[in-house]
Structure formats: structure tokens, C-alpha cells
Amino acid sequence: MPLLEVKHLKKIYTTRFGNNPVEALKDVNFTVEPGEYVAVMGESGSGKTTLLNILAALDRPTGGEVLLAGTPTSAIPEAKMAAYRRDNLGFVFQDFNLLDTFSLRDNIYLPLVLAQKNHTEMAARLEPIAKQLGIADLLDKYPYEISGGQKQRVAVARALITHPQLVLADEPTGALDSKATESLLHVFEEINKAGQTIVMVTHSTRAASHAGRVLFIKDGVVFHQLYRGEHTSAEMFQKISETLTVLTTGGNSVE
Ligand SMILES: Nc1ncnc2c1ncn2[C@@H]1O[C@H](COP(=O)(O)OP(=O)(O)O)[C@@H](O)[C@H]1O
Ligand SMILES: [Mg+2]
């Protein structure tokens, strides 16, 4: 069974005055198998964040549905949504979303604190993750004391510590310099190799070239998919660049 099924997803934003509804997603269909690493690309305004927010059940679609491990998110009562998200999904955002008044350790523990896990379990979960992400020596520091790349590793640790079925990332390298980007992409590859399913929205060809599959969205639908197969990241980079050229012909350039 696919881990994630996206069926005929439609999202229309209507403004308060109802004048100009925006069709952000028209008919998006795709599935993600357990263990996949999927990048989603598209021009600015093509609906990538809208899609991710719906996958994260942070927003409801106008039509269609999202199933996680066979369960439609629409079937989950609003009152149980926060717990559902916390138990099943991990999030990594462009701007890290760390709390400055919390140490890095407490930032990472936060979802487990909310899930009322005890300290022994939190510490046991953190140890291997901190080691894998290379942040074990930083845990007593505060977000303002570390670099952007280190902040993003902490955000990844916070996403992983609940052992989510799916990690969702929206432009995770968007605020990072090229060295920190490479390092974070390496981390994503490693956690994916260890079995973690990842869906990452990005407008970075370099970031997408590390994924196992790249979905391109345009005009509210999945316009094209590229599978990595036996290709290297360099070959994927080339193929993605070519696809983006086709995608943007006659339109605005990709940011
Ligand atoms: N809350 C909202 N209300 C109205 N329109 C929105 C809202 N969020 C996004 N949009 C519009 O939906 C389209 C897709 O936006 P978005 O999903 O943010 O695209 P992307 O992340 O690919 O840049 C854009 O035209 C955007 O202006
Ligand atoms: Mg966006």
C-alpha cells in the first residue's frame, strides 16, 4: 500500500470579497511509496506550499483527498488533528521555526513533551538522532548561538524524534548557504537511506537532484515526473534543468 495517496486534489482560495478566486491546485494526483524521497518543484506561485499544507493537514482541500497509510485525513476529527499531525508527520520549514528561549535540546524535545513522553524515552530517542545529525555537542546551546545550517539540523532532529511516517519539508535549504545546503542534503539522503519517507518542496535544482523522484507542478496539475533510477545527482541535475526549461517556456522564469 502506498504511504501517501493524493487523489484529484483541488484548492481554490476565495478572498473575503469573493471577487477573484485563485485556483492554486486543479487536479493533483500522485502516490508515494514507503521509503521514497520525493522532491516537488514548480515555479513560484504554482501551489507547492498549498500542496504541502494540505498534505500536512494544516489546510483543507476544496476537492479531492489525501490518504496517509490508507486513512483519509478528512476522516480525522478537528479535535484530534493536532495529535494526528504530531504522531504521524515531521515538518522542516525554510525558516527553521525554533524557539529562541528554549535550548536546542528542549526545542527537539518539544513534540515529545506535547505527546507526554517521559524524559528517559526522550533522551533515548534523541541520542542516535543527534549523533547522526552531528549536533550532539550543541544541545545545550540556544538557537541564536548557532549557524543557519546547524539550526536546520536541529529542526530536522525535531522532525525525526517522533519517528514520523512522513517528513514534509518546505524549501528546507532556502535560507542556507551552499555549504550548509550540501550538508543538509546529505543528511536527508542519509535519513532516507535509513528508511525515512520524505516529501520535499524546493525550487532548488541542486536540492531536487538528490531525491529519488521529482514531481513538477504547473497549472495546478502534476505536469511531469522524473525518476532518478540509476542516475547520479549530476545527471539528475541536468535532467531537472532540461525539464524546468520546458516547464517555463512561455512562462515566467523559475526563481
Ligand atoms: N491564503 C491564501 N489566500 C489566497 N491565495 C493564496 C493563499 N495562499 C496562496 N495563495 C495563492 O495560491 C497560489 C499558489 O501559492 P503557493 O502555494 O504559495 O505557491 P508556491 O509555494 O509554489 O510559491 C498563488 O497564486 C498564491 O498567490
Ligand atoms: Mg512556497
Side-chain angles (χ1 to χ4, degrees):
M1 180 172 65
L3 178 61
L4 182 70
E5 294 170 80
V6 175
K7 295 182 178 173
H8 302 297
L9 209 60
K10 185 192 221 21
K11 179 68 180 181
I12 299 172
Y13 290 110
T14 43
T15 60
R16 203 129 80 91
F17 304 107
N19 296 339
N20 293 312
V22 175
E23 189 176 50
L25 303 174
K26 185 184 277 177
D27 186 12
V28 173
N29 298 279
F30 65 94
T31 59
V32 175
E33 296 297 325
E36 273 200 286
Y37 178 6
V38 177
V40 178
M41 298 193 83
E43 288 182 89
S44 182
S46 62
K48 302 184 296 297
T49 294
T50 299
L51 173 63
L52 212 72
N53 286 343
I54 294 172
L55 297 186
L58 290 165
D59 198 2
R60 301 258 182 201
T62 310
E65 61 177 355
V66 174
L67 294 90
L68 186 67
T71 303
T73 48
S74 59
I76 297 151
E78 201 62 53
K80 293 195 172 157
M81 211 37 142
Y84 174 83
R85 271 197 296 271
R86 196 176 60 225
D87 294 343
N88 293 287
L89 304 169
F91 302 97
V92 183
F93 301 97
Q94 174 171 348
D95 52 6
F96 324 126
N97 283 359
L98 300 178
L99 299 174
D100 260 338
T101 53
F102 280 26
S103 69
L104 303 182
R105 186 192 315 276
D106 287 341
N107 266 283
I108 298 167
Y109 281 166
L110 192 58
L112 294 184
V113 171
L114 296 173
Q116 299 181 320
K117 300 286 184 208
N118 67 46
H119 190 270
T120 311
E121 175 164 5
M122 296 198 292
R125 285 194 188 201
L126 177 56
E127 201 201 324
I129 292 172
K131 207 176 275 176
Q132 185 185 18
L133 297 182
I135 54 171
D137 296 337
L138 301 176
L139 295 171
D140 293 320
K141 290 185 184 283
Y142 285 80
Y144 52 82
E145 298 180 295
I146 60 173
S147 71
Q150 289 169 330
K151 279 186 205 174
Q152 199 56 303
R153 285 164 179 264
V154 172
V156 172
R158 183 187 51 190
L160 293 178
I161 199 146
T162 56
H163 300 157
Q165 299 201 61
L166 178 63
V167 165
L168 297 169
D170 193 358
E171 307 276 10
T173 63
L176 303 182
D177 61 31
S178 60
K179 187 159 165 267
T181 291
E182 284 305 320
S183 162
L184 186 75
L185 293 174
H186 183 66
V187 162
F188 271 35
E189 275 189 288
E190 290 296 311
I191 64 174
N192 173 246
K193 274 192 201 134
Q196 179 66 57
T197 314
I198 304 171
V199 173
M200 171 182 69
V201 161
T202 183
H203 65 252
S204 159
T205 303
R206 181 158 306 285
S209 69
H210 289 255
R213 173 157 57 115
V214 186
L215 295 180
F216 297 86
I217 57 174
K218 183 183 165 81
D219 300 330
V221 302
V222 176
F223 172 85
H224 191 57
Q225 300 195 45
L226 280 179
Y227 287 85
R228 184 189 180 109
E230 299 303 310
H231 294 290
T232 63
S233 291
E235 289 164 347
M236 269 301 266
F237 185 94
Q238 187 58 36
K239 286 172 71 134
I240 293 165
S241 301
E242 287 163 13
T243 306
L244 289 174
T245 305
V246 175
L247 194 76
T248 57
T249 299
N252 299 322
S253 62
V254 167
E255 58 186 357

